Amino acid sequence: MQPGNETKAETAAGEEEPLPPFSVQMAQQLGGARGLIESSIPITLFIVVNFLGGHYKWWSLRTSLIVAVGAALAMAVYRLSRREPTRHALNGVFGIGIGAYIAWKSGDAKDVYLPGMLLTVGYVVGMVVSVLIGRPLVGWLWSVTLDGGTSRWYDNTRLRRAFIWLTVVWAVVYALKLGVQVLLYRDSSANSDDLLGIARLALGWPPYALLAALTVWQARRILRDEPAEPEPEV
């Protein structure tokens, strides 16, 4: 896209400025490469350490939980010490902390993934309800994260319709992801916790990144096709 053809967004002062390039919007949506990596480190460490401890009897489930929570805390502290944004690091601490507590109490490694599964249920229900009431959740999230909180996504009929079907797509993908994890969670075979961990990683950021890319691309395509507003007469 040429700079002169960039889509316009209204600022709080009523002026217009170009939207960031597609790559910049994607980085904002995903938290950047560093955000992706940091949010995945604690759960990845848990999966690896728990696999080694469980199969080779090197250590207990408690050790795996301590390593995962410790990694999440260390990244949060490091970011705080450098006065950097801590959203992804703190999300990691919160998520792995609750799961670790549940797994610690139950003694079942699979319970560490339970909060994430329950959160996915909330996402699916929220998206379905938002479509039914005509306020698609993905449209609101796009506005808050990438469009300065403006309401033009709702005022623009094409955008609103696009966000309705996009929200349905998000809901279907998240429901499928949840279904796979529930099946593995209920599986009582010896390696079901390892398979659940692998599924947690495979069904985490990859589908989210694809859905976010589809959402940003569709919104930008519609806005780019909109006719430019005439300049006000002086």
Side-chain angles (χ1 to χ4, degrees):
M1 182 184 300
Q2 297 298 322
N5 296 329
E6 289 178 330
T7 308
K8 301 294 183 178
E10 291 186 0
T11 63
E15 300 175 350
E16 292 186 341
E17 61 180 13
L19 281 174
F22 180 84
S23 58
V24 173
Q25 288 200 25
M26 280 302 302
Q28 292 173 347
Q29 179 68 18
L30 298 174
R34 181 176 176 182
L36 288 172
I37 294 172
E38 287 185 356
S39 62
S40 301
I41 285 176
I43 197 67
T44 303
L45 281 175
F46 172 80
I47 293 169
V48 173
V49 175
N50 183 63
F51 174 84
L52 294 175
H55 287 265
Y56 297 100
K57 309 301 180 183
W58 289 349
W59 44 69
S60 65
L61 170 63
R62 179 177 299 184
T63 302
S64 307
L65 296 172
I66 292 174
V67 169
V69 174
L73 287 172
M75 288 187 293
V77 170
Y78 176 75
R79 281 208 173 231
L80 283 171
S81 68
R82 296 174 59 87
R83 297 183 179 179
E84 296 175 347
T86 60
R87 178 169 62 90
H88 290 280
L90 293 178
N91 286 345
V93 172
F94 184 74
I96 196 69
I98 294 178
Y101 177 78
I102 297 174
W104 194 315
K105 288 294 186 180
S106 68
D108 189 346
K110 290 192 290 187
D111 285 342
V112 77
Y113 309 110
L114 194 55
M117 293 164 61
L118 295 175
L119 186 61
T120 302
V121 172
Y123 287 153
V124 173
V125 172
M127 286 186 278
V128 170
V129 171
S130 72
V131 169
L132 293 177
I133 65 176
R135 295 273 183 172
L137 184 61
V138 172
W140 179 80
L141 292 174
W142 177 83
S143 172
V144 170
T145 58
L146 301 177
D147 201 34
T150 66
S151 62
R152 63 173 173 167
W153 72 270
Y154 188 79
D155 299 330
N156 185 311
T157 302
R158 288 186 64 200
L159 263 182
R160 187 169 69 252
R161 288 175 178 172
F163 282 128
I164 287 175
W165 73 258
L166 282 168
T167 302
V168 172
V169 172
W170 278 75
V172 170
V173 172
Y174 270 61
L176 292 173
K177 178 173 88 169
L178 177 65
V180 171
Q181 293 183 82
V182 168
L183 288 175
L184 291 173
Y185 181 81
R186 293 172 60 87
D187 186 4
S188 58
S189 60
N191 64 339
S192 59
D193 56 336
D194 297 328
L195 293 176
L196 182 56
I198 294 171
R200 169 65 175 77
L201 292 178
L203 299 175
W205 282 112
Y208 175 73
L210 290 174
L211 289 169
L214 174 64
T215 300
V216 172
W217 172 79
Q218 180 68 7
R220 289 178 66 91
R221 185 181 68 82
I222 292 174
L223 291 174
R224 186 176 61 245
D225 294 341
E226 289 291 311
E229 295 184 2
E231 294 289 336
E233 297 182 1
V234 179

